[in-house]
């Protein structure tokens, strides 16, 4: 189910009459007049709601003798909300562009000629700065504390704070052997 279909379905589900129609169809297939009697609303109103539900893919129809029967499209309701949220959005590229623009704005504000002017107070901005700084470290290499301090001193005089924050943000890890860069999943360089 794509994003537009999900929006259309959720709009349909936000109406009480349509929800009652779906609940009735979950019990058994019905025709317009039967739904009208059961729900206490006019046949024209039921037809209007069934059209909206059919457009959203929530119900299907078939001919049975003289009646047009409506049934619940159960497969559409087996999709979880998490699956809908994980579906690629039409706006993903635009959101990525906005994220990159914001990232660049933060980098421009806090870095000047490759030196850090100040450590940002906001955690989100500090994370962006730290993600940029950690690029100075190679993957699959263990650095001594002295090497880490030397690399970080190129960015900022208070390299101890940067080192601590890189470890706290899990961009660098450490043990008795030294420090190493953490491989992040789904991150781009």
């Amino acid at each position: 189910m794509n994003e537009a279909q999900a929006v259309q379905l959720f709009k349909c589900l936000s109406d009480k009459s349509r929800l009652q129609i779906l609940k009735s169809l979950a019990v058994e297939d019905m025709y317009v007049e039967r739904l009208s009697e059961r729900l206490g609303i006019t046949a024209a109103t039921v037809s209007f709601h069934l059209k909206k539900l059919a457009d959203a893919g929530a119900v299907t129809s078939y001919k049975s003798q003289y009646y047009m029967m409506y049934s619940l499209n159960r497969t559409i309701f087996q999709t979880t909300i998490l699956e809908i949220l994980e579906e690629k959005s039409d706006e993903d590229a635009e959101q990525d562009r906005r994220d990159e623009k914001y990232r660049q704005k933060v980098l421009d504000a806090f870095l000047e000629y490759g030196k850090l002017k100040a450590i940002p107070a906001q955690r989100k901005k500090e994370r962006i700065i730290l993600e940029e700084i950690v690029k100075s470290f190679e993957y699959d290499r263990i650095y001594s504390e002295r090497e880490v301090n030397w690399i970080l001193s190129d960015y900022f005089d208070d390299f101890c704070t940067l080192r601590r924050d890189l470890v706290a943000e899990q961009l660098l890890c450490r043990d008795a052997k030294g420090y190493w860069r953490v491989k992040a999943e789904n991150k781009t360089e």
Side-chain angles (χ1 to χ4, degrees), residues 50-173:
L50 283 169
K51 170 80 169 98
K52 294 281 188 186
L53 290 166
D55 290 345
V59 298
T60 58
S61 61
Y62 61 92
K63 190 100 169 150
S64 176
Q65 296 178 349
Y66 304 108
Y67 298 105
M68 183 62 73
M69 299 293 289
Y70 291 88
S71 62
L72 185 67
N73 182 1
R74 293 180 185 278
T75 57
I76 202 166
F77 293 106
Q78 292 173 346
T79 304
T80 67
I81 291 177
L82 187 58
E83 289 171 335
I84 293 168
L85 296 175
E86 290 173 342
E87 183 71 30
K88 186 134 179 80
S89 172
D90 299 339
E91 299 199 13
D92 282 351
E94 182 62 24
Q95 290 171 357
D96 290 344
R97 189 190 65 73
R98 286 187 201 122
D99 285 346
E100 185 53 38
K101 185 177 176 182
Y102 177 76
R103 186 178 178 284
Q104 191 59 51
K105 183 180 171 183
V106 170
L107 292 174
D108 292 344
F110 287 93
L111 291 173
E112 187 174 83
Y113 304 112
K115 288 286 264 182
L116 186 60
K117 296 182 209 175
I119 296 175
Q122 282 186 342
R123 186 167 186 247
K124 179 179 178 181
K125 290 179 181 178
E126 182 183 10
R127 176 71 187 204
I128 291 169
I129 295 298
L130 294 174
E131 286 173 351
E132 187 65 23
I133 290 172
V134 81
K135 291 178 183 178
S136 299
F137 296 88
E138 297 173 22
Y139 290 114
D140 301 322
R141 179 174 168 207
I142 296 178
Y143 294 85
S144 69
E145 187 168 311
R146 186 176 183 164
E147 290 174 306
V148 172
N149 292 345
W150 184 73
I151 292 169
L152 294 179
S153 67
D154 284 344
Y155 287 98
F156 198 61
D157 291 338
D158 186 2
F159 51 82
C160 293
T161 300
L162 284 180
R163 186 183 66 233
R164 183 193 67 224
D165 291 350
L166 284 164
V167 171
E169 287 291 326
Q170 298 178 347
L171 295 169
L172 287 181
C173 278

